[in-house]
């Protein structure tokens, strides 16, 4: 039984979690060049502190979403909060790049517990007609964290980059206690169901092999022996997973989520938008701090227009979605994001900040128009007992897109500039070939943004093709 006002308590708990995880990521992103220099680590290790985190989320979240559907969301959410907080302490104490990467991966496990459950908790607490508004508020807070994070990160770097992780600890303690005390289980757990170990195993390792093949291929050669072997393993395991899920009474992933037209195209547009937008902030940070030599605080301020625009648009788009639906709004948002990416396709060392800010605002508005309605369309059109896995699959596709986006972008840039020159450029080393490295880096940036633009257009087309609301049988709907 939902108590009056509980929906806002649930939203506050999940919003703190969203603020926590995004703030951690955005503060870290701005500090990457500084961390690279301080820990004397290669760009590969430092880049994987971001990519590996998303990589892990992509693989873990769907399975955790299924476990939450079976055994409840609160315990997993609170446990994730606590684990993320503890891992932040160890990240702060890291003495080299490898240690930092390991503890970031542990952080990602905690984040998986939170992310797999937060959207489902909101969907459980809010009626269908208010879900878009609730998710819009949640997205707005995420945008606030994206605004504050780079600026806060730039400020904290003055006192040492480790403070970026230390600041997580008090937030994490407060959020963990608040969630433990306030959240309620809003649905009966399905303890009579059996967990699909075979499906989970084949899915986890199949997706792991696929993403690893794509990222290694992007940085080395697509026809290398290791890439071919990984692709072969991925095809075998994912094929096995599909067969298992279609012949299992209690599957990890209800395949109807992918066979239903509305959900399939909403998920596909999420993946394509992740590929289009995932590397934008990552690339701009290295552009501002590496190519332009701007200090971290200023770089954080210059990145804020994107998040501010998204913050302003998210609650508006959520409200509009509740009244008029998600199809047109989400598709239009992807087209607007594409307009912003057109401006980035012409980026140069001499690009004016006013031009870049306009491009960031346009891209941010488009993102705000897409995310809340698209997520609302997914969560409003699945039964209550499928919300955990539905949210997990959405996160999986979004993070998979972001991993691929960074891998593709870095592969393009790596093909146009030597690793040594790129490292020197990013840590502000004054080498004789600096101007040449800068020219090559800008050329790679333009190509990366061009590819992002075309993926955004494709995402808009796919989003528009989504069909009517699915009809679930009464057993699933209960």
């Amino acid at each position: 039984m939902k108590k009056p006002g509980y929906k806002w308590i649930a939203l506050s708990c999940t919003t703190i979690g969203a603020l926590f995880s995004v703030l951690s990521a955005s503060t870290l992103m701005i500090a990457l060049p500084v961390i690279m220099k301080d820990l004397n680590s290669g760009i590969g290790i430092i880049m994987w502190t971001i990519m590996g985190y998303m990589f892990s989320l992509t693989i873990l979240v769907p399975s955790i979403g299924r476990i939450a559907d079976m055994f409840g969301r609160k315990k997993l959410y609170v446990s994730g909060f606590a684990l993320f907080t503890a891992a932040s302490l160890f990240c702060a104490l890291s003495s080299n790049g490898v240690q930092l990467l390991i503890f970031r991966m542990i952080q990602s496990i905690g984040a998986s517990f939170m992310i797999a459950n937060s959207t489902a908790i909101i969907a459980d607490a809010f009626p269908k007609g208010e879900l878009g508004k609730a998710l819009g508020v949640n997205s707005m807070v995420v945008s606030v964290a994206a605004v504050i994070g780079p600026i806060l990160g730039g400020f904290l770097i003055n006192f040492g980059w480790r403070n970026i992780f230390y600041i997580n600890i008090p937030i994490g303690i407060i959020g963990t206690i608040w969630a433990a005390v306030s959240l309620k289980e809003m649905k009966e757990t399905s303890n009579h169901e059996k967990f699909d170990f075979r499906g989970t195993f084949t899915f986890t390792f199949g997706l792991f092999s696929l993403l690893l093949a794509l990222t290694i291929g992007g940085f080395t050669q697509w026809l290398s022996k290791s890439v071919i072997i990984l692709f072969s393993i991925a095809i075998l395991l994912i094929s096995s997973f599909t067969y298992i899920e279609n012949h299992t009474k209690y599957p990890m992933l209800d395949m109807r989520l992918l066979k239903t037209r509305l959900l399939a195209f909403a998920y596909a547009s999420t993946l394509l938008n992740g590929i289009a937008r995932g590397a934008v902030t990552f690339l701009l940070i290295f552009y501002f701090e590496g190519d332009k030599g701007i200090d971290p605080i200023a770089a954080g301020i210059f990145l804020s227009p994107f998040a501010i625009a998204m913050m302003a648009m998210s609650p508006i788009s959520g409200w509009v979605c509740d009244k008029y639906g998600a199809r047109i709004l989400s598709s239009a948002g992807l087209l607007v994001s594409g307009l912003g990416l057109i401006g980035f396709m012409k980026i140069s060392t001499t690009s004016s900040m006013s031009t870049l800010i306009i491009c960031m605002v346009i891209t941010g508005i488009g993102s705000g128009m897409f995310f809340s309605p698209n997520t609302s369309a997914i969560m409003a059109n699945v039964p209550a007992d499928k919300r955990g896995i539905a949210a997990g699959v959405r996160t999986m596709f979004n993070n998979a897109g972001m991993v691929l986006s960074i891998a593709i972008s870095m592969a393009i840039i790596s093909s146009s500039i030597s690793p040594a020159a790129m490292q020197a450029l990013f840590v502000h080393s004054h080498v004789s070939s600096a101007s040449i490295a800068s020219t090559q880096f800008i050329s790679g940036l333009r190509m990366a943004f061009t590819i992002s633009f075309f993926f955004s257009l494709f995402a808009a087309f796919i989003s528009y093709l989504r069909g009517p609301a699915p009809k679930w049988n009464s057993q699933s709907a209960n």
Side-chain angles (χ1 to χ4, degrees), residues 310 313-314 317 326 328-334 336 364-374:
M310 185 174 173
M313 182 55 62
S314 290
S317 65
I328 300 297
L329 191 59
S330 295
S331 305
L334 291 165
V336 172
I365 289 172
S367 296
M369 292 172 64
F370 171 75
F371 276 113
S372 298
N374 191 66

Side-chain angles (χ1 to χ4, degrees), residues 232-464:
S232 300
I233 293 173
I235 292 171
L236 177 63
L237 290 178
I238 292 174
S239 298
S240 300
F241 169 74
T242 303
Y243 176 82
I244 290 169
E245 298 308 276
N246 283 316
H247 295 82
T248 300
K249 185 176 182 180
Y250 300 113
M252 184 208 87
L253 172 58
D254 190 330
M255 297 304 286
R256 289 175 298 174
L257 295 175
L258 302 180
K259 294 176 181 177
T260 303
R261 181 172 171 177
L262 183 150
L263 297 175
F265 282 90
Y267 284 137
S269 58
T270 298
L271 172 68
L272 293 168
N273 178 67
I275 297 174
R277 254 213 56 243
V280 171
T281 302
F282 185 82
L283 294 174
L284 287 176
I285 285 172
F286 283 112
Y287 169 74
F288 287 142
E289 295 189 44
D291 191 76
K292 281 190 170 291
I294 297 173
D295 68 82
I297 293 181
I301 294 172
F302 286 135
L303 284 171
S304 63
F306 172 81
I308 290 173
M310 185 174 173
M311 176 182 66
M313 182 55 62
S314 290
I316 297 173
S317 65
W319 178 81
V320 174
C321 171
D322 287 337
K323 288 187 172 293
Y324 302 106
R327 181 188 182 194
I328 300 297
L329 191 59
S330 295
S331 305
L334 291 165
L335 290 175
V336 172
S337 290
L339 288 177
L341 290 169
I342 289 176
F344 289 127
M345 288 162 57
K346 300 178 181 179
I347 197 169
S348 69
T349 303
T350 58
S351 293
S352 68
M353 291 308 305
S354 58
T355 300
L356 296 175
I357 287 171
I358 291 172
C359 293
M360 281 188 274
V361 169
I362 294 173
T363 307
I365 289 172
S367 296
M369 292 172 64
F370 171 75
F371 276 113
S372 298
N374 191 66
T375 304
S376 179
I378 293 170
M379 300 308 296
N381 287 289
V382 294
D385 64 340
K386 305 296 181 188
R387 286 172 181 161
I389 185 61
V393 171
R394 188 203 71 83
T395 301
M396 176 191 74
F397 279 116
N398 182 62
N399 286 340
M402 295 180 72
V403 169
L404 292 175
S405 181
I406 294 176
I408 292 169
S409 298
M410 293 305 294
I412 292 170
I413 292 173
S414 297
S415 67
S416 62
I417 182 173
S418 70
M422 184 160 60
Q423 178 114 352
L425 182 67
F426 289 164
V427 299
H428 318 306
S429 296
H430 298 287
V431 295
S432 58
S433 59
S435 60
I436 298 175
S438 177
T439 301
Q440 294 170 334
F441 175 64
I442 292 296
S443 176
L445 273 186
R446 288 179 175 177
M447 178 59 69
F449 284 130
T450 299
I451 292 174
S452 293
F453 166 73
F454 284 108
F455 269 108
S456 191
L457 292 185
F458 188 32
F461 174 70
I462 293 298
S463 176
Y464 188 74

Side-chain angles (χ1 to χ4, degrees), residues 16 41 47 49 54 98 105 183 206 226 241 272 294 342 344:
I16 293 174
S41 294
M47 186 193 66
T49 62
M54 293 186 293
V98 174
M105 297 300 285
L183 286 180
S226 59
F241 169 74
L272 293 168
I294 297 173
I342 289 176
F344 289 127

